[in-house]
């Protein structure tokens, strides 16, 4: 009767000690080891599922699945590079006169899902992915890299309520701050000017951060779906539906604005 | 020996299944790690149940993309396993599952790993998925065991 209680108390104390150590000096070597081990397993499972589904639907562009895989990877890498180039080119056109920088995009897929607005990508620091980089897909902004291991990284979605970032209306240039509303899959945009003119369907894009991290400027975020009526408030609040389908994001691009070559 | 092998298999694979397949379900899917801990605890002694909960909790704290302080899951599941094994009644699931989910969320909030908004978005879905599955699983588990228990009592 006493021994089980002692065992339990000892294990709870051990958990507490691990948590305390992790708070003081993050246990990143342990995280890296698990990300290597489990990240590889997640990638392998994702790859198997992909192969099975592509054989089932049979993409017949290449003669065999063995040829189709490298072709697909090549196309995905090219897609990522072009998307990143386009974003950076657009922004350089906006603030013209700046010397051109090399932008690069890394293609990535979601291999595992977290409970709280996060997921794992199959690209990590070996591919050049670092924390605080912009992640986009064909629809628009998806999130930012919040942690990177050697071969996998963690993305925090824009609907995470813990992060706030700058945004502007694509047409009028009105500026504001975006916060996530995960329970509705929407974003709340607080426009700094209370009398700013907004209509349903207006496009919201990122304002951009210093050094393009975590967010590159001019990425489409979503469309206004609801305007909250708050008479007398200092800011104007609207709800925004993200363009990117966050529950099934498909092919993603991690934008690397200043890759050292 | 076979139990030890099963124990290692569950501890290493269940947290992986959780992130690869279950978390993408609508409303977040069931918390399989918690369910397996309770289920294992109902068939073993308290000290082993606590050890099992600690091990599976520690692994699930570390499998990417989980992003909270390492040790939260280990501590919560260790106590959950211990209490379930002490109670030895499948009905404990009805208390243990919601309690474990709430305590884990409270610890994450206290340590600043999450926000109230995220908790509101996740907790109801996790409870809705996990509780009914837990009840069903334990009802099924009781059936083959009941004659044995009655035999012992007689």
């Amino acid at each position: 009767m006493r021994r089980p209680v002692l065992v339990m108390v000892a294990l709870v104390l051990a958990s507490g000690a691990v948590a305390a150590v992790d708070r003081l000096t993050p246990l990143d070597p342990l995280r890296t080891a698990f990300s290597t081990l489990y990240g590889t397993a997640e990638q392998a499972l994702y790859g198997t599922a992909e192969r099975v589904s592509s054989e089932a639907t049979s993409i017949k562009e290449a003669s065999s699945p063995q040829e189709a895989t490298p072709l697909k990877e090549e196309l995905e890498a090219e897609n990522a590079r072009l998307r990143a180039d386009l974003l950076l080119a657009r922004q350089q056109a906006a603030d013209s006169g700046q010397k051109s920088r090399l932008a690069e995009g890394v293609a990535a897929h979601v291999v595992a899902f977290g409970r709280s607005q996060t997921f794992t990508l199959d690209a990590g620091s070996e591919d050049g992915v670092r924390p605080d980089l912009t992640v986009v897909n064909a629809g628009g902004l998806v999130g930012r890299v919040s942690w990177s291991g050697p071969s996998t990284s963690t993305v925090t979605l824009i609907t995470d309520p813990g992060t706030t970032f700058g945004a502007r209306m694509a047409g009028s240039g009105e500026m504001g701050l975006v916060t996530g509303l995960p329970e509705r899959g929407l974003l709340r945009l607080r426009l700094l000017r209370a009398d700013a003119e907004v209509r349903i369907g207006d496009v919201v894009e990122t304002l951009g951060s210093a050094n393009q991290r975590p967010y590159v400027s001019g990425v489409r975020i979503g469309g206004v779906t609801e305007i909250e009526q708050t008479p007398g408030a200092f800011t104007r609040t609207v709800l925004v539906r993200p363009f990117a389908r966050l529950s099934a994001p498909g092919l993603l691009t991690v934008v690397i604005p200043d890759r050292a070559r | 020996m076979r139990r030890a092998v099963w124990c290692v298999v569950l501890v290493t694979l269940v947290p992986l299944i959780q992130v690869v397949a279950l978390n993408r379900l609508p409303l977040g899917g069931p918390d399989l790690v918690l369910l397996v801990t309770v289920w294992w605890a109902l068939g073993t002694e308290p000290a082993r149940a606590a050890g099992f909960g600690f091990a599976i909790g520690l692994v699930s704290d570390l499998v990417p993309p989980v992003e909270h302080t390492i040790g939260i899951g280990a501590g919560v599941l260790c106590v959950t396993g211990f209490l379930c094994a002490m109670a030895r009644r499948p009905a404990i699931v009805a208390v243990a599952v919601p309690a474990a989910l709430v305590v884990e969320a409270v610890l994450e909030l206290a340590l600043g790993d999450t926000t109230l908004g995220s908790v509101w978005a996740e907790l109801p879905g996790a409870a809705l998925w996990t509780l009914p599955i837990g009840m069903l699983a334990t009802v099924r588990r009781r059936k083959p065991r009941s004659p044995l228990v009655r035999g012992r009592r007689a």
Side-chain angles (χ1 to χ4, degrees):
Chain A
M1 183 62 201
R2 280 188 64 91
R3 198 186 72 96
V5 178
L6 284 179
V7 170
M8 189 271 285
V9 169
L11 288 176
V12 170
L13 288 178
S15 319
V18 171
V21 172
D22 191 35
R23 295 303 290 185
L24 294 173
T25 51
L27 293 168
D28 274 336
L30 202 58
R31 282 205 173 85
T32 307
F34 267 76
S35 121
T36 310
L37 194 69
Y38 276 90
T40 312
E42 287 165 3
Q43 275 170 324
L45 284 174
Y46 172 81
T48 314
E50 273 292 279
R51 220 164 298 130
V52 169
S53 69
S54 76
E55 266 167 41
T57 56
S58 75
I59 302 167
K60 294 278 186 212
E61 273 159 42
S63 53
S64 69
Q66 286 79 25
E67 271 174 50
T69 309
L71 177 68
K72 191 171 161 236
E73 271 168 20
E74 231 169 77
L75 287 173
E76 286 178 353
E78 188 181 0
N79 173 294
R81 208 162 49 239
L82 292 172
R83 225 180 255 168
D85 268 350
L86 180 66
L87 280 175
L88 270 283
R90 226 187 258 157
Q91 176 220 327
Q92 275 159 13
D95 38 59
S96 55
Q98 210 180 32
K99 62 178 193 295
S100 77
R101 273 174 298 180
L102 289 169
E104 216 172 298
V106 174
H109 308 91
V110 177
V111 294
F113 292 75
R115 281 203 164 266
S116 49
Q117 312 296 316
T118 52
F119 47 58
T120 306
L121 293 187
D122 60 353
S125 47
E126 283 163 6
D127 310 286
V129 175
R130 301 164 286 164
D132 288 336
L133 291 179
T134 313
V135 181
V136 299
N137 74 356
L141 186 66
V142 170
R144 69 190 160 83
V145 178
S146 47
W147 189 82
S148 71
S151 61
T152 59
S153 51
T154 303
V155 172
T156 299
L157 294 176
I158 43 174
T159 44
D160 173 51
T163 49
T164 299
F165 58 95
R168 67 172 168 235
M169 305 303 302
S172 61
E174 293 284 352
M175 288 190 279
L177 292 171
V178 170
T179 319
L181 286 175
E183 66 272 26
R184 299 180 61 186
L186 297 177
L187 307 166
R188 176 172 279 140
L189 168 64
R190 284 195 179 79
L191 289 166
L192 300 180
R193 232 158 50 94
D195 55 347
E197 262 186 45
V198 189
R199 269 169 301 167
I200 304 283
D202 280 359
V203 175
V204 180
E205 58 181 35
T206 54
L207 190 59
S209 330
N211 292 325
Q212 313 295 333
R213 294 173 73 179
Y215 290 114
V216 178
S217 65
V219 185
R220 286 154 54 92
I221 302 172
V224 174
T225 55
E226 202 180 316
I227 297 164
E228 292 186 342
Q229 298 297 337
T230 46
F234 290 111
T235 55
R236 170 150 231 170
T237 321
V238 297
L239 297 184
V240 178
R241 179 170 299 283
F243 288 134
R245 254 185 79 201
L246 299 178
S247 53
L251 177 64
L252 296 167
T253 304
V254 184
V255 183
I256 301 176
D258 51 349
R259 183 165 199 161
R261 296 203 194 200
Chain B
M1 187 58 206
R2 261 182 76 186
R3 278 183 78 83
V5 172
W6 264 113
C7 176
V8 172
V9 167
L10 287 176
V11 164
T12 46
L13 289 187
V14 169
L16 182 65
I17 296 168
Q18 181 77 48
V19 296
V20 170
L22 297 176
N23 282 346
R24 65 192 307 177
L25 293 173
L27 289 175
D31 191 336
L32 190 66
V33 177
L34 174 57
L35 286 173
V36 166
T37 307
V38 173
W39 184 80
W40 187 266
L42 288 172
T44 188
E45 60 196 61
R48 285 174 188 220
F52 182 86
F54 178 80
I56 201 168
L58 198 59
V59 173
S60 72
D61 279 342
L62 282 161
V63 170
V66 176
E67 268 195 328
H68 63 202
T69 309
I70 302 168
I72 292 183
V76 170
L77 292 179
C78 166
V79 177
T80 309
F82 176 79
L83 293 178
C84 288
M86 289 291 275
R88 280 212 155 263
R89 278 191 206 94
I92 188 75
V93 166
V95 185
V97 165
L101 290 173
V102 169
V103 170
E104 185 160 359
V106 167
L107 284 175
E108 282 182 7
L109 272 177
L111 290 170
D113 289 335
T114 186
T115 56
L116 209 52
S118 304
V119 171
W120 273 126
E122 293 152 33
L123 200 56
L128 270 176
W129 267 106
T130 315
L131 198 52
I133 294 178
M135 304 284 243
L136 280 176
T138 46
V139 165
R140 286 183 64 87
R141 187 179 178 104
R142 186 159 42 164
K143 272 180 192 159
R145 295 206 147 224
S146 47
L148 230 167
V149 175
R150 258 185 233 134
R152 247 185 247 158
R153 268 183 201 154

